[in-house]
Amino acid sequence: EIGKSQAAAYAAVGQVIPSRILMATPSMGLTPLFMGMLDARGILSAMPWINLPATLAITGVSLVFSTPLCCAIFPQEAAMDISKLEPDLQAKVRKLCPTDTLVYYNKGL
């Protein structure tokens, strides 16, 4: 660890936001569609107790697939050019590794 960088933190937030949105999209989109289909077929009217279990099952199954997929699409480590770091961190990196041009940071997904 070289240090903590605010520039890397700002970059990480910008990269994590799309991942979080894509993780939630399937459960927020598929659940209403499937529940609407169950309602249109009269299943929810005939068995009103199935509303909560069906909602939880659909949401859970979609999250089981979307979460690992989004974590795979958006890797946890990212690279940043040394010139984009704060001056004190730039000096520290250049002192430790004068030939390197990139640093890697954990986005904290």
Side-chain angles (χ1 to χ4, degrees):
E1 181 178 309
I2 295 169
K4 298 188 186 299
S5 170
Q6 234 180 353
Y10 287 133
V13 168
Q15 294 170 356
V16 168
I17 289 172
S19 170
R20 300 290 180 165
I21 291 170
L22 287 175
M23 273 188 221
T25 300
S27 62
M28 295 182 110
L30 293 178
T31 303
L33 288 175
F34 280 115
M35 295 307 288
M37 287 175 21
L38 292 176
D39 192 30
R41 293 182 180 181
I43 295 171
L44 295 179
S45 299
M47 298 181 286
W49 57 270
I50 204 161
N51 192 355
L52 180 63
T55 302
L56 290 174
I58 296 164
T59 302
V61 168
S62 66
L63 286 174
V64 162
F65 292 104
S66 68
T67 302
L69 181 65
C70 286
C71 287
I73 292 172
F74 300 97
Q76 192 161 349
E77 282 192 356
M80 176 179 264
D81 195 77
I82 292 172
S83 64
K84 294 182 180 179
L85 292 173
E86 290 82 358
D88 59 325
L89 289 175
Q90 285 182 25
K92 194 173 182 182
V93 170
R94 289 197 175 107
K95 181 180 175 187
L96 292 171
C97 310
T99 59
D100 288 350
T101 59
L102 294 174
V103 291
Y104 296 90
Y105 62 94
N106 187 332
K107 294 189 293 187
L109 288 176

